Amino acid sequence: RVSMAAPDGSRVHSAFPAVWVSPTSIRCSVRPVGSASAPYGPALLSVSNDGLTFVGTTGAGPLRLTFATPPEVHAVSPPRGTVAGGTLVTVSGRGFGPGAQCVFGSVRVAAVLATRAEGESLSCLSPPGSAVGDVVQGAAIARVEVAMGEALVSASRLSFEWEEPASASLVVP
């Protein structure tokens, strides 16, 4: 089990169940320990084998971690590109940071972060449409998200659409 507390010890949450992964790893889901007005921020983590005795995981006391606000996606531009992929896409929003990735459906791609007065933006290249799902009648569509590490992902309702490029077979003056 895992116990969470605010750094000053003022808010202690009951132990959260954990799953044994290996002799040096466990996996668990915890929630922020902050107050209702400020739910995100630093926390202390301790681990127990028996549910009664909790020990720090660093040898010097509890492990310190920080809960962060999930990133938010406000706009995707352009909203479509070719099924081949490679379209330069700008994702605007907030809560992005170093290591942020663009996520098309379930496909993560590297991104370049830029900060401006109105918020933050990421630039990334769209993957091929076939990488995110079936291309049906020359088109595919997937939700666009921003990921910060493994667990922190935005919850946007914006999407990107892949289309066959337009072509002309005959041009008559």
Side-chain angles (χ1 to χ4, degrees):
R1 294 182 74 78
V2 173
S3 173
M4 299 293 296
D8 63 4
S10 63
R11 294 175 301 278
V12 178
H13 287 268
S14 59
F16 298 94
V19 175
W20 182 87
V21 175
S22 73
T24 59
S25 280
I26 60 171
R27 180 172 294 145
C28 64
S29 293
V30 296
R31 61 184 175 273
V33 297
S35 65
S37 63
Y40 301 101
L44 302 176
L45 177 128
S46 296
V47 178
S48 173
N49 240 358
D50 61 9
L52 301 172
T53 308
F54 289 88
V55 296
T57 56
T58 65
L63 177 68
R64 293 183 174 274
L65 60 108
T66 300
F67 287 96
T69 305
E72 295 177 13
V73 174
H74 299 158
V76 176
S77 179
R80 62 186 53 83
T82 68
V83 292
T87 302
L88 182 61
V89 177
T90 300
V91 179
S92 302
R94 69 178 186 173
F96 307 163
Q101 295 176 302
C102 294
V103 184
F104 293 84
S106 63
V107 178
R108 292 175 180 237
V109 296
V112 176
L113 175 66
T115 303
R116 56 191 202 299
E118 306 84 37
E120 299 164 332
S121 66
L122 296 175
S123 294
C124 52
L125 295 177
S126 66
S130 59
V132 298
D134 295 330
V135 176
V136 179
Q137 295 180 349
I141 191 165
R143 188 171 283 174
V144 178
E145 306 292 352
V146 170
M148 297 291 302
E150 290 300 314
L152 201 55
V153 179
S154 64
S156 111
R157 295 185 185 270
L158 301 174
S159 59
F160 184 82
E161 187 173 349
W162 289 262
E163 301 171 327
E164 289 289 346
S167 63
S169 58
L170 178 64
V171 177
V172 178

